[in-house]
Amino acid sequence: MQIYKATDYKDMSRKAANIISAQVIMKPNCVLGLATGSTPIGTYQQLIEWYKKGDLDFSDVTTVNLDEYKGLPRTNDQSYYYFMHQNLFDQVNINPENTHLPNGMEPNSEKECARYESLIHSLGGVDLQLLGLGHNGHIGFNEPGEAFEKETHCIDLQERTIEANKRFFASADDVPKQAYTMGIKTIMQAKKILVIVSGEDKADIVAKAFFGPVTPAVPASILQMHNDVTLVGDEAALSKIPR
């Protein structure tokens, strides 16, 4: 595992964007696995800036997103479809037909999970998967549990995750209780993995996930078993890793 220490969030975003842009330049038709949430926004902003300067071309890039809320229409401003279009897709020259997310409005979980898993395989897998890191060690919506979830599946969101998302919705009742997510096996099949972390509140889980035992109780700990993982974090997030 490679670790890059950034001075702050902006520096972390720039370093992460450097890694993604190198992937796009080296393989213009690459498949990027993308993440949502507050952490990658700065990375996407940097990629947009370089695109606008003429340094990046997304015309042949294909993307697959980690997850999507079940039961939330794409027009809802809290859907990950909406997030990705707002924060990246609508601001670069990517072909909308080459951007993929789970379909949150498909009520048949088994059908949708099989479709999405099949889609990823048909693309030849993910060249570079971007990941954030939850406070409880979740990656995608793979929450702590008894076993590592294998492939794309529908998951019941934990109370802590629902609570964390509550601020984005009109009321707690509006927060989706389920989501479609790539499984641990799907994530681990990516050729390269890029994890980005920022803030002192992530310091404990970074130490636990990357320097503690590999356990389903900390889903991200499985990344220790991958042969090409890069961790980019600011000083605060990396403050508790062993020297």
Side-chain angles (χ1 to χ4, degrees):
M1 183 175 68
Q2 286 187 301
I3 300 175
Y4 292 106
K5 186 180 280 189
T7 52
D8 53 21
Y9 176 79
K10 189 173 181 181
D11 188 35
M12 178 213 74
S13 299
R14 188 179 178 86
K15 282 179 165 62
N18 258 322
I19 292 166
I20 296 169
S21 61
Q23 176 67 62
V24 173
I25 291 164
M26 295 295 287
K27 187 181 179 185
N29 65 339
C30 65
V31 178
L32 297 178
L34 299 179
T36 53
S38 55
T39 309
I41 290 175
T43 301
Y44 294 150
Q45 287 172 344
Q46 183 64 77
L47 291 171
I48 292 163
E49 190 180 314
W50 286 336
Y51 160 72
K52 287 179 175 174
K53 284 182 179 174
D55 295 334
L56 275 178
D57 177 14
F58 291 90
S59 60
D60 290 328
V61 170
T62 298
T63 66
V64 288
N65 261 73
L66 276 170
D67 40 33
E68 179 60 283
Y69 288 119
K70 185 177 180 183
L72 214 57
R74 290 177 164 184
T75 50
N76 188 299
D77 64 4
Q78 293 307 316
S79 74
Y80 292 152
Y81 176 93
Y82 191 97
F83 175 98
M84 289 308 305
H85 279 267
Q86 287 285 106
N87 289 289
L88 183 65
F89 297 158
D90 291 349
Q91 301 187 62
V92 296
N93 67 331
I94 197 164
N95 181 345
E97 290 181 8
N98 291 341
T99 63
H100 305 283
L101 291 93
N103 177 11
M105 294 308 287
E106 172 53 68
N108 185 326
S109 299
E110 209 172 288
K111 179 182 171 186
E112 179 53 20
C113 293
R115 180 198 72 83
Y116 203 63
E117 194 67 28
S118 174
L119 167 74
I120 295 166
H121 285 292
S122 74
L123 296 170
V126 175
D127 290 302
L128 174 64
Q129 177 66 57
L130 177 66
L131 296 175
L133 179 64
H135 288 99
N136 61 0
H138 75 245
I139 46 176
F141 272 124
N142 295 285
E143 302 275 13
E146 298 298 313
F148 290 112
E149 293 284 1
K150 291 180 181 176
E151 296 181 327
T152 302
H153 56 285
C154 180
I155 194 159
D156 295 326
L157 301 181
Q158 291 191 353
E159 279 306 316
R160 181 172 178 177
T161 302
I162 293 168
E163 188 65 29
N165 290 337
K166 197 168 70 175
R167 68 188 189 277
F168 300 121
F169 292 86
S171 75
D173 294 338
D174 296 330
V175 184
K177 306 299 188 288
Q178 291 182 309
Y180 290 125
T181 184
M182 282 189 202
I184 296 291
K185 181 180 177 184
T186 316
I187 291 168
M188 289 293 284
Q189 285 174 338
K191 298 175 185 77
K192 298 177 193 171
I193 293 176
L194 170 61
V195 186
I196 54 175
V197 284
S198 172
E200 195 179 352
D201 57 325
K202 293 290 176 75
D204 285 328
I205 195 61
V206 167
K208 209 181 275 189
F210 297 106
F211 298 93
V214 175
T215 167
V218 183
S221 65
I222 192 71
L223 299 175
Q224 294 180 44
M225 311 298 287
H226 195 282
N227 63 5
D228 193 346
V229 173
T230 301
L231 173 64
V232 180
D234 59 19
E235 287 178 0
L238 302 184
S239 61
K240 293 188 179 178
I241 65 174
R243 294 292 169 203

